[in-house]
Amino acid sequence: MSVQFSYAVRSDVGAVRSVNQDSAYAGPHLLVLADGMGGPAGGDIASSVAVAHLVPLDDDTPGADDLIPLLRDALDSAHAELMNRSETDPELKGLGTTCIALLRSGTKLGMVHIGDSRAYILRDGVLHQITTDHTYVQHLVDLGRITAEEAENHPMRNMVLRALGDNDGEVQLDTSMREAHPGERWLLASDGLFGVVSHETITETMVALPDVDACADELIHLALRAGAPDNVTVIVCDILDSNQLRDGHQPSTTPQFVGAVTTDRLARTRACAHSGAAGRAASLRPARTPEEMEPEPRHRSSRALRILGRLAGLTLILAIIAGGLAAGYAWTRTQYYVAEDDGVVTIFQGIPQAIGPIKLSEVYEHSDVRVSDLPAYASERLRTPTTRPTLEEARDVVRNFEDLATPAPSPTPGPSPYPSPTETPSPSESATPRARAATSEATWRL
């Protein structure tokens, strides 16, 4: 059985932003969506670079085993270019982008994902989110600190922990292989959609509008009606089989670009030298008129004013970010966990995580319990931090370990030359260390 894509891709700058930093591409074998970040000077370039490095894959017909390696190599290359740009152009310092891409080979789908753009599948009238956001609030949800409902209104909900181009470390991608089932409908979306339109409303729209173009248009319209404080981009894609094709459904064959990737800034991207689908799609982009081109500054004073404006905007952005980070850091000060430090059972204040080089915890107090005095199962349990919301509850955990600790035996003195009275030990005194450990283990599990 063979399948084909029928897709529609749409993007809108939204009701508040002046620049669209989202980019997206849809082709016969490839779907890509990227949401750039880094201010007006870099976010649009970052998303364009990511898309441009992936688009050439739409010309290839790889085997199923090659899907993930090809996607990973393309994004590694995009990441390297973004890092090079940020190092050579001070105005692009800190640029980055989310990215989600779906590549088809026959009925197999390879998917890569980084950041907080999402992929959904509509199957039998139910919309399933199949990606996990790489955000700070999602991390808190995973730890059980907050609920998914609380995450929607959390002050740090927009803090992305993973992205292309935002650091010089290894690119941390989520990857998966899936089977393309006829009748499924895929949705790729930036947070400009699901950040303001509810899951229930998105589901209703996906079910009610069978035409992919009408569905994509309506999703954009819903975001705009909700205020659209951010750029909003969607790709709606139906999986068609031969039976559906015979019934009159038409597959999509024309590549489509939308968003920042359609601007002239893409011309500096190395990946744009590729021909084929990338070239055909690029040729569909509307040419920019002279009125749309940014004029060169006529006076040095005009350039200086623009620079000052950018600095003022950057200062404001940094102040907002600093405020959010301060709030998040203050919250971590209310948390505690128990783990090992220098061979000792220790209480830490904070959470057992780090954002880059910044650790979100520190030693609060050491106990008198050495890990070497614990039975094997307790030592193993200590390898995973035990988190608690209060200091007293953390100390209760330490007391559990104290009850399990068996101090090393003191040296046995030599035999006495004098006989001593024989006493019958009590059952508790005669219990072997193994028996005591077994009893403690049962207590610990309870």
Side-chain angles (χ1 to χ4, degrees):
M1 178 190 68
S2 63
V3 299
Q4 297 190 54
F5 285 165
S6 175
Y7 50 78
V9 54
R10 301 287 189 272
S11 186
D12 195 283
V13 70
V16 176
R17 302 291 179 89
S18 60
V19 176
N20 193 347
Q21 296 186 327
D22 290 357
S23 293
Y25 170 87
H29 303 91
L30 177 71
L31 309 175
V32 184
L33 187 147
D35 181 353
M37 60 193 75
D44 56 342
I45 293 178
S47 66
S48 299
V49 167
V51 170
H53 277 268
L54 285 160
V55 163
L57 299 180
D58 203 17
D59 273 340
D60 299 329
T61 54
D65 293 339
D66 297 325
L67 293 177
I68 297 300
L70 285 171
L71 290 167
R72 185 183 293 277
D73 288 346
L75 289 185
D76 283 342
S77 179
H79 178 71
E81 178 174 347
L82 292 175
M83 291 307 303
N84 177 262
R85 284 173 177 256
S86 66
E87 291 169 0
T88 57
D89 187 345
E91 290 189 353
L92 301 181
K93 192 69 176 178
L95 86 169
T97 183
T98 72
C99 189
I100 184 165
L102 199 68
L103 182 61
R104 180 176 67 86
S105 175
T107 62
K108 299 297 183 181
L109 300 173
M111 187 175 71
V112 294
H113 165 240
I114 186 169
D116 63 348
S117 297
R118 292 181 182 176
Y120 298 85
I121 292 180
L122 181 69
R123 182 184 297 134
D124 298 326
V126 180
L127 188 65
H128 306 272
Q129 180 183 334
I130 60 172
T131 55
T132 300
D133 297 344
H134 299 145
T135 59
Y136 179 62
V137 294
Q138 182 60 49
H139 173 70
L140 297 181
V141 172
D142 294 341
L143 290 177
R145 299 297 189 192
I146 61 176
T147 66
E149 291 73 22
E150 291 171 332
E152 293 179 358
N153 299 305
H154 195 280
M156 301 180 72
R157 61 186 178 277
N158 293 324
M159 179 183 286
V160 178
L161 300 183
R162 290 196 230 165
L164 292 177
D166 69 333
N167 62 75
D168 57 1
E170 181 182 356
V171 179
Q172 299 181 49
L173 300 172
D174 285 352
T175 64
S176 62
M177 287 291 297
R178 294 179 176 271
E179 188 75 20
H181 296 286
E184 288 181 341
R185 170 169 285 189
W186 283 73
L187 170 66
L188 273 57
S190 65
D191 62 347
L193 175 69
F194 56 80
V196 295
V197 182
S198 71
H199 186 91
E200 292 75 18
T201 300
I202 295 174
T203 302
E204 292 172 1
T205 304
M206 296 276 285
V207 171
L209 298 174
D211 180 74
V212 290
D213 289 284
C215 184
D217 288 337
E218 180 62 16
L219 291 173
I220 295 292
H221 178 63
L222 288 169
L224 292 173
R225 285 178 54 189
D230 198 357
N231 312 142
V232 53
T233 302
V234 301
I235 300 175
V236 179
C237 179
D238 287 343
I239 307 296
L240 305 179
D241 64 5
S242 55
N243 293 328
Q244 292 168 304
L245 296 175
R246 284 194 295 269
D247 291 340
H249 294 83
Q250 295 298 317
S252 301
T253 57
T254 302
Q256 300 176 22
F257 276 116
V258 297
V261 73
T262 64
T263 69
D264 289 346
R265 296 181 114 176
L266 181 61
R268 293 202 305 121
T269 302
R270 294 195 303 261
C272 285
H274 293 277
S275 59
R280 292 194 303 272
S283 68
L284 300 175
R285 295 180 294 168
R288 300 178 73 189
T289 66
E291 291 76 14
E292 292 174 318
M293 301 295 287
E294 182 180 357
E296 289 294 324
R298 295 182 179 179
H299 305 285
R300 293 176 60 89
S301 58
S302 299
R303 179 176 176 80
L305 286 174
R306 285 204 309 275
I307 293 175
L308 288 175
R310 288 175 180 174
L311 289 175
L314 179 61
T315 300
L316 178 60
I317 292 172
L318 291 175
I320 294 173
I321 293 174
L325 290 174
Y329 182 78
W331 175 83
T332 66
R333 299 297 86 192
T334 67
Q335 305 299 303
Y336 298 87
Y337 66 92
V338 178
E340 176 185 354
D341 180 64
D342 196 24
V344 175
V345 177
T346 303
I347 295 178
F348 292 79
Q349 184 178 29
I351 60 176
Q353 301 295 329
I355 300 178
I358 303 175
K359 293 184 177 181
L360 300 181
S361 64
E362 59 187 17
V363 173
Y364 184 82
E365 64 184 24
H366 288 99
S367 72
D368 296 328
V369 182
R370 300 200 61 81
V371 177
S372 59
D373 293 338
L374 294 172
Y377 69 87
S379 299
E380 185 65 26
R381 175 66 183 83
L382 198 60
R383 292 179 182 274
T384 301
T386 302
T387 58
R388 289 294 183 267
T390 67
L391 176 60
E392 186 56 36
E393 290 180 72
R395 285 173 173 163
D396 287 340
V397 174
V398 172
R399 283 190 278 270
N400 275 336
F401 282 110
E402 289 175 348
D403 293 340
L404 297 175
T406 304
S410 57
T412 304
S416 171
Y418 303 101
S420 58
T422 301
E423 297 180 359
T424 302
S426 67
S428 60
E429 293 174 338
S430 62
T432 65
R434 178 174 298 180
R436 289 197 300 272
T439 303
S440 298
E441 182 174 5
T443 304
W444 175 262
R445 288 175 177 171
L446 291 173

